Coordinates of all heavy atoms in Angstrom, one line a residue:
K220 N 0.0 18.3 -25.7 CA -0.1 17.9 -27.1 C -1.6 17.8 -27.4 O -2.5 17.8 -26.5 CB 0.4 16.5 -27.3 CG 1.9 16.4 -27.3 CD 2.3 14.9 -27.5 CE 3.8 14.8 -27.6 NZ 4.2 13.4 -27.8
K221 N -1.9 17.8 -28.7 CA -3.3 17.6 -29.1 C -4.0 16.4 -28.5 O -5.1 16.4 -28.1 CB -3.5 17.6 -30.6 CG -3.4 18.9 -31.3 CD -3.8 18.8 -32.8 CE -3.7 20.2 -33.4 NZ -4.9 20.6 -34.0
D222 N -3.2 15.3 -28.5 CA -3.8 14.1 -27.9 C -3.3 13.9 -26.4 O -3.4 12.7 -25.9 CB -3.4 12.9 -28.7 CG -1.9 12.7 -28.9 OD1 -1.1 13.6 -28.6 OD2 -1.5 11.6 -29.3
G223 N -2.8 14.9 -25.8 CA -2.3 14.8 -24.4 C -3.5 14.7 -23.4 O -4.6 14.9 -23.8
V224 N -3.1 14.3 -22.2 CA -4.1 14.1 -21.2 C -3.8 15.1 -20.0 O -2.7 15.3 -19.6 CB -4.0 12.6 -20.6 CG1 -4.9 12.4 -19.5 CG2 -4.3 11.7 -21.7
L225 N -4.9 15.7 -19.5 CA -4.8 16.6 -18.4 C -5.5 16.0 -17.2 O -6.7 15.7 -17.2 CB -5.5 17.9 -18.8 CG -5.6 19.1 -17.8 CD1 -4.3 19.5 -17.3 CD2 -6.3 20.3 -18.5
I226 N -4.7 15.9 -16.1 CA -5.2 15.4 -14.9 C -5.3 16.6 -13.9 O -4.3 17.2 -13.6 CB -4.2 14.3 -14.3 CG1 -3.8 13.3 -15.3 CG2 -4.8 13.7 -13.0 CD1 -4.9 12.4 -15.8
V227 N -6.5 16.9 -13.4 CA -6.8 18.1 -12.6 C -7.3 17.7 -11.3 O -8.3 17.0 -11.2 CB -7.8 19.0 -13.3 CG1 -7.9 20.3 -12.5 CG2 -7.3 19.4 -14.7
N228 N -6.7 18.3 -10.3 CA -7.3 18.2 -8.9 C -8.2 19.4 -8.8 O -7.9 20.5 -9.0 CB -6.1 18.4 -7.9 CG -6.7 18.3 -6.5 OD1 -7.7 17.7 -6.2 ND2 -6.0 19.0 -5.6
D229 N -9.5 19.0 -8.5 CA -10.5 20.1 -8.5 C -10.5 20.8 -7.1 O -11.3 20.6 -6.2 CB -11.9 19.4 -8.6 CG -13.0 20.4 -8.8 OD1 -12.8 21.6 -8.9 OD2 -14.2 20.0 -9.0
Q230 N -9.4 21.6 -7.0 CA -9.2 22.4 -5.8 C -8.9 23.9 -6.3 O -8.3 24.1 -7.3 CB -8.0 21.9 -5.1 CG -7.7 22.6 -3.8 CD -6.6 22.0 -3.0 OE1 -5.8 21.2 -3.5 NE2 -6.4 22.5 -1.7
R231 N -9.5 24.8 -5.5 CA -9.3 26.2 -5.7 C -8.4 26.8 -4.6 O -8.8 26.8 -3.4 CB -10.7 26.9 -5.7 CG -10.6 28.4 -5.9 CD -12.0 28.9 -5.9 NE -12.0 30.4 -5.8 CZ -12.9 31.1 -6.4 NH1 -14.0 30.6 -7.0 NH2 -12.9 32.4 -6.4
I232 N -7.3 27.4 -5.1 CA -6.4 28.1 -4.2 C -6.2 29.5 -4.8 O -5.6 29.6 -5.9 CB -5.0 27.4 -4.0 CG1 -5.2 26.0 -3.4 CG2 -4.1 28.3 -3.1 CD1 -4.0 25.2 -3.3
E233 N -6.7 30.5 -4.1 CA -6.7 31.8 -4.7 C -5.4 32.4 -4.6 O -4.8 32.5 -3.6 CB -7.8 32.7 -4.0 CG -9.2 32.2 -4.3 CD -10.2 33.1 -3.7 OE1 -9.9 34.0 -2.9 OE2 -11.4 32.9 -4.0
P234 N -4.8 32.9 -5.8 CA -3.5 33.6 -5.7 C -3.7 35.0 -5.1 O -4.8 35.5 -4.9 CB -3.2 33.8 -7.2 CG -4.5 33.6 -8.0 CD -5.4 32.8 -7.1
I235 N -2.6 35.5 -4.7 CA -2.6 36.8 -3.9 C -3.3 37.9 -4.7 O -4.0 38.7 -4.1 CB -1.2 37.3 -3.6 CG1 -1.2 38.4 -2.5 CG2 -0.4 37.7 -4.8 CD1 -1.6 37.9 -1.2
T236 N -3.3 37.9 -6.0 CA -4.0 38.9 -6.8 C -5.5 38.8 -6.6 O -6.2 39.8 -6.6 CB -3.6 38.8 -8.3 OG1 -3.9 37.5 -8.8 CG2 -2.2 39.2 -8.6
V237 N -6.0 37.6 -6.5 CA -7.4 37.4 -6.2 C -7.8 37.8 -4.8 O -8.8 38.5 -4.5 CB -7.9 36.0 -6.5 CG1 -9.3 35.7 -6.1 CG2 -7.7 35.7 -8.0
V238 N -6.9 37.4 -3.8 CA -7.1 37.7 -2.4 C -7.2 39.2 -2.2 O -8.0 39.7 -1.4 CB -6.0 37.0 -1.6 CG1 -6.1 37.5 -0.1 CG2 -6.1 35.5 -1.7
T239 N -6.3 39.9 -2.9 CA -6.3 41.4 -2.7 C -7.4 42.1 -3.5 O -7.5 43.3 -3.4 CB -4.9 41.9 -3.0 OG1 -4.6 41.7 -4.4 CG2 -3.8 41.4 -2.1
G240 N -8.1 41.4 -4.4 CA -9.1 42.1 -5.2 C -8.6 42.6 -6.5 O -9.3 43.2 -7.3
A241 N -7.3 42.4 -6.8 CA -6.7 42.9 -8.1 C -7.1 42.1 -9.3 O -7.0 42.5 -10.4 CB -5.2 43.0 -8.0
A242 N -7.6 40.8 -9.0 CA -8.0 40.0 -10.1 C -9.2 39.1 -9.6 O -9.5 39.1 -8.4 CB -6.9 39.1 -10.5
V243 N -9.8 38.5 -10.6 CA -11.0 37.6 -10.3 C -10.6 36.2 -10.6 O -10.1 35.9 -11.7 CB -12.2 38.0 -11.1 CG1 -13.4 37.1 -10.8 CG2 -12.6 39.5 -10.7
Y244 N -11.0 35.2 -9.8 CA -10.7 33.8 -10.0 C -11.7 33.4 -11.1 O -12.9 33.5 -11.0 CB -10.9 33.0 -8.8 CG -10.3 31.6 -8.8 CD1 -9.1 31.4 -8.3 CD2 -11.0 30.6 -9.4 CE1 -8.5 30.1 -8.4 CE2 -10.5 29.3 -9.4 CZ -9.3 29.0 -8.9 OH -8.7 27.8 -9.0
P245 N -11.2 32.8 -12.2 CA -12.1 32.4 -13.3 C -13.1 31.3 -12.8 O -12.8 30.4 -12.0 CB -11.2 31.8 -14.4 CG -9.8 32.3 -14.0 CD -9.8 32.5 -12.5
E246 N -14.3 31.3 -13.4 CA -15.3 30.3 -13.1 C -15.3 29.2 -14.2 O -14.7 29.4 -15.3 CB -16.7 31.0 -13.1 CG -16.9 32.0 -12.0 CD -16.7 31.4 -10.6 OE1 -17.2 30.3 -10.3 OE2 -16.1 32.1 -9.7
Q247 N -15.8 28.1 -13.9 CA -15.9 27.0 -14.8 C -14.6 26.6 -15.5 O -14.6 26.3 -16.7 CB -17.0 27.2 -15.8 CG -18.4 27.4 -15.1 CD -19.5 27.6 -16.1 OE1 -19.3 28.0 -17.3 NE2 -20.7 27.4 -15.7
I248 N -13.5 26.6 -14.8 CA -12.2 26.3 -15.4 C -12.2 24.9 -16.0 O -11.8 24.7 -17.1 CB -11.1 26.4 -14.3 CG1 -10.9 27.9 -13.9 CG2 -9.8 25.8 -14.8 CD1 -10.0 28.2 -12.8
I249 N -12.6 23.9 -15.2 CA -12.5 22.5 -15.7 C -13.4 22.3 -16.9 O -13.1 21.7 -17.9 CB -12.8 21.5 -14.6 CG1 -11.7 21.6 -13.5 CG2 -12.9 20.1 -15.1 CD1 -11.9 20.8 -12.3
E250 N -14.6 22.9 -16.8 CA -15.6 22.7 -17.9 C -15.0 23.4 -19.2 O -15.2 22.8 -20.3 CB -16.9 23.4 -17.6 CG -17.7 22.7 -16.4 CD -17.2 23.1 -15.0 OE1 -16.3 23.9 -14.9 OE2 -17.7 22.5 -14.1
N251 N -14.4 24.5 -19.1 CA -13.8 25.1 -20.3 C -12.6 24.4 -20.8 O -12.4 24.3 -22.0 CB -13.4 26.6 -19.9 CG -14.6 27.5 -19.8 OD1 -15.6 27.3 -20.4 ND2 -14.5 28.5 -18.9
L252 N -11.8 23.8 -19.9 CA -10.7 23.0 -20.3 C -11.2 21.7 -21.1 O -10.5 21.3 -22.0 CB -9.8 22.6 -19.1 CG -8.9 23.7 -18.5 CD1 -8.3 23.2 -17.2 CD2 -7.8 24.1 -19.5
E253 N -12.3 21.2 -20.6 CA -12.8 19.9 -21.3 C -13.3 20.2 -22.7 O -13.4 19.2 -23.5 CB -14.0 19.4 -20.5 CG -13.6 18.8 -19.1 CD -14.7 18.4 -18.2 OE1 -15.8 19.1 -18.3 OE2 -14.6 17.4 -17.5
K254 N -13.5 21.4 -23.1 CA -13.9 21.7 -24.5 C -12.7 21.5 -25.4 O -13.0 21.3 -26.6 CB -14.4 23.2 -24.5 CG -15.7 23.4 -23.8 CD -16.0 24.9 -23.8 CE -17.3 25.2 -22.9 NZ -17.6 26.6 -22.8
E255 N -11.5 21.6 -25.0 CA -10.3 21.5 -25.9 C -9.4 20.4 -25.5 O -8.6 20.0 -26.4 CB -9.5 22.8 -25.8 CG -10.3 24.0 -26.3 CD -9.4 25.3 -26.4 OE1 -8.2 25.1 -26.6 OE2 -9.9 26.3 -26.1
H256 N -9.5 19.8 -24.4 CA -8.6 18.7 -23.9 C -9.3 17.5 -23.4 O -10.4 17.6 -22.9 CB -7.6 19.3 -22.9 CG -6.9 20.6 -23.3 ND1 -5.9 20.6 -24.2 CD2 -7.2 21.9 -23.0 CE1 -5.5 21.8 -24.4 NE2 -6.2 22.6 -23.6
T257 N -8.6 16.4 -23.3 CA -9.0 15.2 -22.6 C -8.7 15.5 -21.1 O -7.5 15.5 -20.8 CB -8.3 14.0 -23.1 OG1 -8.6 13.8 -24.5 CG2 -8.8 12.7 -22.4
V258 N -9.7 15.6 -20.3 CA -9.5 16.0 -18.9 C -10.0 14.9 -18.0 O -11.2 14.4 -18.2 CB -10.2 17.3 -18.6 CG1 -10.1 17.7 -17.1 CG2 -9.7 18.5 -19.4
Y259 N -9.2 14.5 -17.0 CA -9.7 13.7 -15.9 C -9.6 14.4 -14.6 O -8.5 15.0 -14.3 CB -8.8 12.4 -15.8 CG -8.9 11.6 -17.1 CD1 -8.1 11.7 -18.1 CD2 -9.9 10.6 -17.2 CE1 -8.2 11.0 -19.3 CE2 -10.0 9.8 -18.3 CZ -9.2 10.0 -19.4 OH -9.3 9.3 -20.5
K260 N -10.7 14.6 -13.9 CA -10.6 15.4 -12.7 C -10.9 14.5 -11.4 O -11.5 13.4 -11.5 CB -11.6 16.5 -12.7 CG -13.1 16.1 -12.8 CD -14.0 17.2 -12.8 CE -15.4 16.7 -13.0 NZ -16.4 17.8 -13.0
I261 N -10.3 15.0 -10.3 CA -10.5 14.3 -9.1 C -10.5 15.4 -8.0 O -9.8 16.4 -8.1 CB -9.3 13.3 -8.8 CG1 -9.5 12.6 -7.5 CG2 -8.0 14.0 -8.9 CD1 -8.5 11.5 -7.3
N262 N -11.3 15.2 -7.0 CA -11.3 16.1 -5.8 C -10.4 15.4 -4.8 O -10.9 14.7 -3.9 CB -12.7 16.4 -5.2 CG -12.6 17.5 -4.2 OD1 -11.6 17.6 -3.5 ND2 -13.7 18.2 -4.0
A263 N -9.1 15.4 -5.0 CA -8.2 14.6 -4.2 C -8.1 15.1 -2.8 O -7.9 14.2 -1.9 CB -6.8 14.7 -4.9
M264 N -8.3 16.3 -2.5 CA -8.2 16.8 -1.1 C -9.4 16.1 -0.3 O -9.1 15.6 0.8 CB -8.3 18.3 -1.0 CG -8.1 18.8 0.4 SD -6.6 18.4 1.1 CE -5.5 19.6 0.3
E265 N -10.5 16.1 -0.9 CA -11.7 15.5 -0.2 C -11.5 14.0 0.0 O -11.7 13.5 1.0 CB -13.0 15.8 -1.0 CG -14.2 15.2 -0.4 CD -15.4 15.6 -1.2 OE1 -15.7 16.7 -1.5 OE2 -16.1 14.6 -1.6
E266 N -11.0 13.4 -1.1 CA -10.7 11.9 -1.0 C -9.6 11.6 0.0 O -9.7 10.6 0.7 CB -10.4 11.4 -2.4 CG -11.5 11.4 -3.4 CD -12.7 10.6 -2.9 OE1 -12.6 9.5 -2.5 OE2 -13.9 11.2 -3.0

């Protein structure tokens, strides 16, 4: 929703298309999401 909340684990898992070179993993995903949404991020794996 416009006023919805996005909770993001700051982890990168490359899909098979990226692993095989058929696609590129996008950069600055969280920063771009923050431009349009209320985002709370956590590096949960590290924690």
